Amino acid sequence: MSPYLHFGQISPLYIALELLKVKTAATDVFLEELIVRRELSYNFVHYNNNYDKIKCLPNWAINTLNFHKSDKRQYIYTVEQFEKAQTHDPYWNAAQMEMVITGKMAGYMRMYWGKKIIEWSRTPKQAFETALYLNNKYELDGRGPNAFAGVAWCFGKHDRAWSERKVFGKVRYMNAAGLKRKFDVDGYVEKNLSR
């Protein structure tokens, strides 16, 4: 729904009212994303003049990322390598190709995608700029409040501190094992890398 909401092709109020007519187990979760998270994104962009810069992050996230910015990274990719889905990770590459080809990326993969850009970039600032550039260039719903908040979330915005680890510090970490627990990620790769 995100691209349709982004371009004003459907109203969030209309969706919410229709959902309330057919209340299911997923209704509350969907409404929370449609209303609460959407409003959170709009307020974030409205009240934070740095919404498109790494300075938009909470102090704890900036401090922990900067403290770990000199940590050794196993892989480092250029913007061009990211853009062409030329990483060692087939899951990340599939997510990037899904976004490039369709203009949309599965939600859980979008989070993984952003987290790995942090892990494979020289600095947090460079990672933030890369994620925002790719997201805004290829996502149909890019360049809007949800896009800016979504990228910032990968870096710790609207989240809490977690256990400290290399590169991420206390920013939430994601790995491929989590993908395998959530869904058929190998089928996802096959679908998106064979297009």
Side-chain angles (χ1 to χ4, degrees), residues 124-156:
K125 182 178 183 290
Q126 183 183 51
F128 191 90
E129 290 169 355
T130 298
L132 203 54
Y133 163 75
L134 293 173
N135 189 81
N136 285 348
K137 181 174 181 179
Y138 292 106
E139 284 281 344
L140 287 171
D141 65 353
R143 304 155 317 280
N146 288 332
F148 291 110
V151 167
W153 178 88
C154 293
F155 291 76

Side-chain angles (χ1 to χ4, degrees), residues 49 62-63 89 132 138 188 195:
N49 292 332
I62 291 172
N63 292 340
D89 183 340
L132 203 54
Y138 292 106
Y188 175 84
R195 290 180 193 248

Side-chain angles (χ1 to χ4, degrees), residues 37-113:
R37 291 186 192 213
R38 189 168 187 271
E39 286 299 312
L40 186 64
S41 297
Y42 275 76
N43 280 304
F44 163 62
V45 169
H46 181 76
Y47 291 106
N48 191 323
N49 292 332
N50 294 309
Y51 65 87
D52 60 346
K53 297 171 190 64
I54 198 164
K55 292 189 287 188
C56 74
L57 302 178
N59 288 334
W60 72 264
I62 291 172
N63 292 340
T64 197
L65 287 167
N66 282 334
F67 183 80
H68 288 275
K69 75 178 175 182
S70 60
D71 289 356
K72 182 169 173 44
R73 282 130 168 92
Q74 187 174 5
Y75 303 97
I76 293 183
Y77 297 107
T78 64
V79 175
E80 293 77 21
Q81 288 171 309
F82 281 125
E83 193 162 12
K84 294 176 181 174
Q86 295 174 337
T87 77
H88 70 284
D89 183 340
Y91 305 133
W92 193 93
N93 293 342
Q96 176 67 15
M97 291 311 298
E98 179 184 30
M99 181 174 66
V100 168
I101 293 168
T102 69
K104 191 78 182 102
M105 187 189 308
Y108 195 76
M109 291 305 295
R110 204 168 181 179
M111 294 182 288
Y112 178 81
W113 172 89

